[in-house]
Amino acid sequence: MSSTSADHHTGGRGSGAPMRRVSLRNLAAHKVRLALTVLSVVLGTAFVAGSFVFTDTLQRTFDSIFDDTATGVDVRVSPEEQGTDGVPLADAETVSSLPGVRAVAPAESGQVVLIGPDGSAVQTGGAPSIGTSYVPAEQAVEEPDPYVAGAPPSAPGEVGINPSAAERANLAVGDDARVLVPAHGIVDVTISGLYDPGTDTGGFIGVQFTQQQAVELFTDGRHAAYVDVAGDGSRTPEQLQADVQQALPDMKVQTGDEVRAETEAQVSQALDFVNYFLLAFGAIALLVGTFIIYNTFSMIVAQRLRELALLRAIGASQGQIGRSVTLEALVVGILGAIAGTAAGIGLAYVLRALLNAFDLGLPEGPLVLSPRTFAVSIGVGVLVTVISAYAPARRASRVAPVAAMREEASGGAESLTVRTWVGAVFTVAGVVALVIGSRGTGEPAAATVGLGALATIVGVFLVAPALSRPVVRTLGLATRPFGAVGKLARTNAVRNPRRTSATAFALTLGLMLVSVIGVFGASAKASVDELVDNGITADWILSGPNQIGVPEGVEGAVSELPDVARAASLHLFSAEVDGERETGGSLDGSTEGLVNLDVVRGSGDPGPGEIIVSDTKAAERGWDVGSPVTVTGADGKQTRATVGGVFVSNQLFGDLVVSDDVYRATSPAVGLPAILVLIEATPGADADTLRADLEQSTSRFIVVQVQDRDEFKGAQAAQIDTLLAILYGLLALAVVIAILGIVNTLALSVVERTREIGMLRAVGTQRSQVRRTIYLESMLIAVFGAVVGIVLGVAFGWAFVSTLRDQGLGTFQVPWEQIVAMLVGSGVVGVLAALWPAVRAARTDPLDAISES
């Protein structure tokens, strides 16, 4: 009768209201626990929201720039393939004679370096630095950029520049300056005026020459990069496009709208990569946060077993208990997701300010807050939180009232057998896939490794509770000097293996990713070192900016020095050889003393009209010494050549080395600047004297760096370190969330063990001993998570590096110093994470704790 009455009062209509009040009051009563749980949701959601806001802002700004692209252009003519000489100027004359054509404007442009009055290159921060031609309005297809000061260039040696470039370079109208054009060297100029380019993005440098001088500097005199066409209005752009295509069937002919759409699509694709990249880290942060939320709600349920049992005893149904816990998760998710979205907007502000501080040349504009950003960010935050709390809620609903009221909170007594065996199967399958994938190269191998890594992570997560006991006990040997306190810490760390593994696994994921990146970085640097040590024998290496290369004239300037035995320029080469695209290099001179080629047969120096090929490529293509081949450039230029030698495959040159005459016969003239100039010193030359002479002779080229082999390797390593620093900075979020998870777990664990701690204090345990116990327990959990994460990271790094051996990552390297630092750091992090929970535990009043029911 009483049971029926209870059911009537709690299970009938409106029975959800009391349970909702219980859930909300429970949240309000545990503000610290609520704040810690909400914070883990905030951090993960903030990254997702920040990613959307940042990339949407970039997209909107670029869209406004594209609105002005190819304005007034009805048709653009360009080569079908990149890397050619361009559009013949004779074709431009052909187009100008077509009916309906008002104006034809060949494009003359190329990369430049503006040199300021102080003799240094003006930095763009990654923004374009372009030289173009100024075309008067009566000859122009597009409306020319308006000049806001001075006048457009009217004679060779005069240039116009954009105002932001003038400000950066500290130049004004009438000032003398210099411009470095890679294919022509230094050009002395005078600033004739300042023009408004419409959207003057941060860092952008635009230098306008007269059309005559632009043709000399940026073309071979016979071709243009592309040709813009404007109609007289008598024909539509589509009709004009058809006429031009018929006249020039071998060229790519687009309308102005198609040019704008293509440019926009290319930049959108680049922005998509940025978005996916940032969202990937947001997903990692949410994944790590998921473990923390799951762990938190598991402990909350364990602590409230008696409370939930009492609710069951007075008539609450299983569904009501489950919905009660889910409601708490929903509230946490909503609060965390809203706060996280707001934090993400702030993160986007900070990210843009940070990138602008590094002077990366990003366009400026107001932040874009789209409804999609709010919907996705809040939706993801709430969904992840509710899903994370589902298992604890389900477990809470199945609690038997009488059993729960007569036992302490427990979660470690459930059998781990089935979970462990399933995890072992996943782990073994994952390891097998890793090994299989590591034996191949390319996308299929990388995909196999990726699936293997995923299976291994799932397997290790399932095995982790069973694994935690032996590993933590082994790690616990380090706590023996602490006596009984150390033993108690070990016991606490293995008491609930599910909780220990879930707490540690958040840190495992973070350090696993850090380890993978560390292995990539160490392997990349080791591969570069090996490449330079085994491939380059030159005493000195001259290099320039990545997009500029070594300016024309540098080799000649250093060749005359008395201590230089020989200098040669190294070029990249790409062309069709007997019908298939091949890549390699060209050295304009003998390889002896400059590069090391392990010659199998024939000569290691390609003579006039010769190429030398790698042994793997020779076997693949059926070539041998004396084999005739046809080399075809991107614009169809063909030349006959002969295989002069075969060498052991070398990452420095790729699969072939061509003679200088073959390179120049099949490569566009505008692409000839070298990527490196290699120098052999005369025997007995003084290194310091030669360095000073090299720096003096190249000083007028401004951007040239003089390095020995060790310095060159260090410069490449510095570029790798810069990339790694960005990745580590993003991954720091996941590690911070993991640390908060340890704090959260320990704080809840202290609450759960209040009576136990009170008993210890009652029998004489000092506060300092209680604190030390919590410190050691936290350290063991953190180091366990770090060990598992590092082992996984090194294994995954090895597998992925193995799949990239054909891309130059031929050396696998483990960053041992970093690994030791991470292990030590994890122990320190464990202690720091335990500071607040330990102090809270030490302040436990023995009598109050023991009297708790």
Side-chain angles (χ1 to χ4, degrees):
M1 186 76 174
S2 60
S3 175
T4 305
S5 177
D7 286 342
H8 173 75
H9 289 294
T10 60
R13 292 183 61 186
S15 60
M19 293 301 298
R20 285 195 294 272
R21 286 196 295 271
V22 169
S23 298
L24 297 176
R25 287 176 180 174
N26 184 65
L27 287 172
H30 300 88
K31 295 181 177 62
V32 173
R33 185 175 71 194
L34 174 64
L36 286 170
T37 312
V38 167
L39 186 58
S40 64
V41 184
V42 168
L43 291 172
T45 308
F47 220 101
V48 174
S51 301
F52 277 124
V53 172
F54 183 70
T55 52
D56 284 349
T57 300
L58 283 182
Q59 183 70 64
R60 176 73 60 83
T61 307
F62 278 116
D63 286 347
S64 66
I65 296 174
F66 296 142
D67 290 341
D68 298 327
T69 299
T71 304
V73 174
D74 289 319
V75 170
R76 174 169 291 177
V77 182
S78 57
E80 282 286 358
E81 290 196 34
Q82 298 294 322
T84 68
D85 285 332
V87 180
L89 294 180
D91 287 351
E93 296 177 4
T94 299
V95 172
S96 64
S97 64
L98 294 176
V101 173
R102 176 183 64 81
V104 175
E108 301 93 7
S109 63
Q111 292 183 328
V112 298
V113 177
L114 180 62
I115 301 170
D118 60 354
S120 62
V122 181
Q123 300 301 314
T124 67
S129 180
I130 303 295
T132 60
S133 62
Y134 173 79
V135 181
E138 61 275 10
Q139 303 173 22
V141 170
E142 301 181 59
E143 187 69 26
D145 295 315
Y147 270 71
V148 296
S154 58
E158 292 183 356
V159 298
I161 60 176
N162 57 309
S164 66
E167 183 179 350
R168 279 173 172 259
N170 195 25
L171 291 169
V173 175
D175 287 349
D176 292 331
R178 290 183 293 167
V179 177
L180 171 62
V181 181
H184 290 269
I186 300 292
V187 179
D188 293 320
V189 298
T190 299
I191 308 301
S192 66
L194 306 180
Y195 71 92
D196 179 10
T199 304
D200 201 358
T201 61
F204 169 71
I205 293 176
V207 182
Q208 290 188 344
F209 296 84
T210 63
Q211 192 169 18
Q212 176 187 350
Q213 190 169 21
V215 169
E216 295 172 358
L217 295 176
F218 304 120
T219 75
D220 59 1
R222 301 184 305 276
H223 299 81
Y226 57 86
V227 174
D228 283 338
V229 181
D232 59 10
S234 63
R235 300 180 69 77
T236 66
E238 289 74 19
Q239 290 172 329
L240 203 56
Q241 178 188 27
D243 293 343
V244 174
Q245 188 70 77
Q246 184 177 0
L248 306 175
D250 295 331
M251 290 293 164
K252 180 179 180 181
V253 182
Q254 300 170 286
T255 64
D257 289 339
E258 289 172 343
V259 170
R260 284 186 287 273
E262 182 179 74
T263 307
E264 202 168 337
Q266 291 172 348
V267 175
S268 295
Q269 185 176 7
L271 292 178
D272 283 344
F273 172 78
V274 174
N275 200 21
Y276 295 147
F277 185 76
L278 293 176
L279 287 175
F281 284 94
I284 291 167
L286 279 174
L287 181 61
V288 173
T290 299
F291 283 102
I292 296 169
I293 298 167
Y294 168 81
N295 210 25
T296 299
F297 277 95
S298 295
M299 296 186 71
I300 291 172
V301 169
Q303 291 172 17
R304 294 172 55 201
L305 280 180
R306 290 191 173 192
E307 171 194 329
L308 297 175
L310 181 61
L311 290 172
R312 290 290 311 282
I314 63 174
S317 67
Q318 288 188 8
Q320 288 175 318
I321 296 295
R323 287 193 294 274
S324 172
V325 178
T326 303
L327 175 61
E328 293 182 29
L330 182 63
V331 172
V332 167
I334 292 173
L335 292 176
I338 293 174
T341 302
I345 297 171
L347 181 65
Y349 270 110
V350 172
L351 183 59
R352 188 173 65 174
L354 185 63
L355 293 176
N356 287 337
F358 279 104
D359 200 17
L360 296 183
L362 292 176
E364 299 178 358
L367 287 184
V368 175
L369 305 178
S370 68
R372 184 274 316 273
T373 297
F374 291 94
V376 172
S377 302
I378 294 175
V380 167
V382 172
L383 186 64
V384 165
T385 306
V386 172
I387 290 176
S388 300
Y390 172 75
R394 187 165 173 265
R395 191 158 56 244
S397 69
R398 295 182 174 183
V399 173
V402 176
M405 284 191 285
R406 69 166 177 253
E407 64 175 84
E408 295 294 336
S410 172
E414 297 177 47
S415 173
L416 299 173
T417 303
V418 174
R419 172 176 176 156
T420 302
W421 277 107
V422 172
V425 171
F426 269 96
T427 303
V428 170
V431 170
V432 170
L434 289 176
V435 173
I436 293 173
S438 68
R439 295 178 180 273
T441 58
E443 291 186 9
T448 302
V449 168
L451 290 174
L454 179 61
T456 304
I457 292 171
V458 172
V460 170
F461 171 67
L462 295 174
V463 170
L467 185 65
S468 67
R469 282 175 169 158
V471 174
V472 172
R473 286 195 180 103
T474 302
L475 295 173
L477 296 176
T479 65
R480 281 189 172 179
F482 295 94
V485 169
K487 185 176 182 180
L488 182 58
R490 290 196 304 274
T491 303
N492 287 339
V494 300
R495 174 190 296 179
N496 191 324
R498 291 176 182 271
R499 180 194 307 160
T500 296
S501 65
T503 304
F505 208 73
L507 189 60
T508 292
L509 288 176
L511 293 188
M512 177 197 73
L513 294 167
V514 170
S515 299
V516 169
I517 292 172
V519 167
F520 265 110
S523 299
K525 286 187 278 189
S527 298
V528 170
D529 289 351
E530 183 180 17
L531 178 64
V532 175
D533 289 337
N534 297 334
I536 297 179
T537 57
D539 299 298
W540 298 93
I541 301 169
L542 307 184
S543 60
N546 289 336
Q547 296 180 337
I548 299 295
V550 182
E552 192 73 19
V554 170
E555 180 185 337
V558 300
S559 295
E560 304 301 323
L561 295 175
D563 288 334
V564 172
R566 210 158 52 81
S569 297
L570 175 65
H571 302 265
L572 292 177
F573 173 75
S574 178
E576 286 187 2
V577 183
D578 280 355
E580 291 187 20
R581 176 68 58 180
E582 303 289 355
T583 58
S586 171
L587 201 65
D588 60 351
S590 172
T591 60
E592 185 178 354
L594 298 178
V595 296
N596 179 32
L597 289 177
D598 187 1
V599 179
V600 177
R601 52 190 176 274
S603 172
D605 274 326
E610 288 186 342
I611 69 172
I612 57 176
V613 300
S614 68
D615 51 357
T616 54
K617 184 57 64 175
E620 176 188 327
R621 302 291 299 274
W623 292 331
D624 207 339
V625 176
S627 297
V629 295
T630 300
V631 183
T632 307
D635 56 0
K637 291 180 181 177
Q638 288 189 344
T639 187
R640 298 287 294 174
T642 304
V643 176
V646 178
F647 61 91
V648 175
S649 186
N650 185 314
Q651 288 293 342
L652 179 65
F653 283 107
D655 285 319
L656 72 160
V657 182
V658 304
S659 63
D660 188 57
D661 63 313
V662 172
Y663 170 74
R664 293 182 181 276
T666 55
S667 300
V670 293
L672 292 180
I675 58 169
L676 298 174
V677 171
L678 306 178
I679 296 173
E680 179 188 10
T682 58
D686 181 73
D688 292 336
T689 301
L690 181 52
R691 175 191 287 275
D693 290 343
L694 290 171
E695 290 175 346
Q696 176 65 31
S697 62
T698 59
S699 60
R700 63 189 177 93
F701 295 99
I702 309 299
V703 296
V704 176
Q705 285 186 300
V706 177
Q707 299 168 319
D708 60 25
R709 284 201 301 272
D710 289 337
E711 290 169 337
F712 181 73
K713 290 189 293 186
Q716 307 311 305
Q719 294 181 20
I720 296 171
D721 286 337
T722 300
L723 175 61
L724 295 182
I726 297 173
L727 297 176
Y728 286 144
L730 294 172
L731 281 177
L733 179 67
V735 176
V736 167
I737 297 174
I739 294 170
L740 289 172
I742 297 175
V743 175
N744 200 10
T745 300
L746 288 173
L748 294 172
S749 178
V750 167
V751 174
E752 179 182 290
R753 301 201 302 255
T754 298
R755 296 188 64 180
E756 174 189 318
I757 294 171
M759 290 292 293
L760 290 173
R761 294 279 289 116
V763 298
T765 304
Q766 299 176 358
R767 288 185 174 181
S768 61
Q769 291 176 313
V770 172
R771 287 196 298 270
R772 204 172 302 132
T773 301
I774 303 297
Y775 295 155
L776 294 175
E777 179 184 351
S778 176
M779 182 194 71
L780 290 174
I781 293 174
V783 174
F784 166 66
V787 168
V788 176
I790 289 171
V791 170
L792 289 177
V794 171
F796 297 162
W798 163 77
F800 278 115
V801 166
S802 297
T803 66
L804 295 173
R805 56 186 176 273
D806 61 332
Q807 301 297 317
L809 262 70
T811 304
F812 170 69
Q813 183 77 36
V814 178
W816 293 110
E817 292 182 1
Q818 178 181 330
I819 284 176
V820 172
M822 284 193 294
L823 286 173
V824 174
S826 297
V828 173
V829 161
V831 173
L832 293 177
L835 288 177
W836 175 58
V839 169
R840 183 176 181 181
R843 291 176 178 173
T844 302
D845 183 90
L847 294 180
D848 289 344
I850 295 173
S851 64
E852 283 191 3
S853 57

